[in-house]
Amino acid sequence: MNKNPHRYDDMLHLPHHQSVSRPHMSNHDRAAQFSPFAALTGYDDHVKETARLTDEKIELDENEKNALDEKLQMILEHLREKNVVTFTYFLPDSRKDGGVYLTASGIVKTIDPYSRSVILYAPNGISGGKEIRINDITAIDGELFQRLDRFT
């Protein structure tokens, strides 16, 4: 093994070799040769999905369920007043166990007893059609309840 640090000095100032039989490769194409290679297709997506956090659904006790039923009944009784109501509800995740808690505010258009859902329209009345399953609702709030509490 030659340990001479000057063994390539004679080649240092020679012109760079250019092939006569192949075209010159662009820097972009050269860089593509060294780009990362994903040997396991979909592995990164699977890792990200596994790392994504979801919340566990809270099971309400009977008193909490009764309180929500009373609020839904109040909403039905005052439906013509077009009160803005805020719902906190659980949205199950389509890919894994658990889900996420969301809030939605709007005017209740109807409460459908057959599909057990609440249909909301936005306060501006332009957008509409948000459907929330009653079994997924964990909290209901709005001015309607504060007004009615003052009278009781």
Side-chain angles (χ1 to χ4, degrees):
M1 183 186 297
N2 187 354
K3 294 188 179 190
N4 180 3
H6 301 288
R7 65 181 175 265
Y8 298 112
D9 285 352
D10 60 329
M11 298 170 35
L12 191 60
H13 298 291
L14 291 176
H16 181 71
H17 174 73
Q18 292 286 336
S19 173
V20 290
S21 61
R22 297 179 191 214
H24 181 69
M25 186 180 289
S26 71
N27 286 341
H28 180 268
D29 291 340
R30 278 187 59 76
Q33 291 181 344
F34 302 102
S35 65
F37 172 69
L40 302 173
T41 305
Y43 179 74
D44 287 339
D45 293 336
H46 184 69
V47 168
K48 287 177 187 172
E49 178 62 25
T50 302
R52 188 172 55 86
L53 298 177
T54 56
D55 293 323
E56 199 172 307
K57 185 175 182 180
I58 299 168
E59 292 299 324
L60 302 176
D61 65 27
E62 287 305 312
N63 291 334
E64 292 169 320
K65 288 179 183 177
N66 289 336
L68 289 177
D69 285 342
E70 287 175 16
K71 286 185 175 184
L72 288 171
Q73 188 61 39
M74 284 185 222
I75 292 170
L76 272 175
E77 291 169 4
H78 297 271
L79 204 55
R80 290 183 181 205
E81 296 172 16
K82 299 191 185 295
N83 294 296
V84 175
V85 182
T86 301
F87 293 90
T88 302
Y89 64 99
F90 182 78
L91 181 64
D93 195 295
S94 61
R95 296 184 181 168
K96 61 198 282 188
D97 289 340
V100 64
Y101 281 92
L102 302 172
T103 57
S105 295
I107 297 168
V108 175
K109 176 72 175 170
T110 187
I111 298 176
D112 186 346
Y114 299 108
S115 67
R116 296 210 24 89
S117 61
V118 176
I119 310 294
L120 285 183
Y121 282 92
N124 61 14
I126 296 171
S127 60
K130 177 134 192 87
E131 184 173 349
I132 302 171
R133 290 185 17 193
I134 291 174
N135 292 342
D136 293 333
I137 296 172
T138 57
I140 305 173
D141 195 22
E143 277 187 38
L144 169 67
F145 310 113
Q146 295 160 3
R147 259 193 352 255
L148 293 175
D149 284 344
R150 282 186 246 148
F151 296 117
T152 57

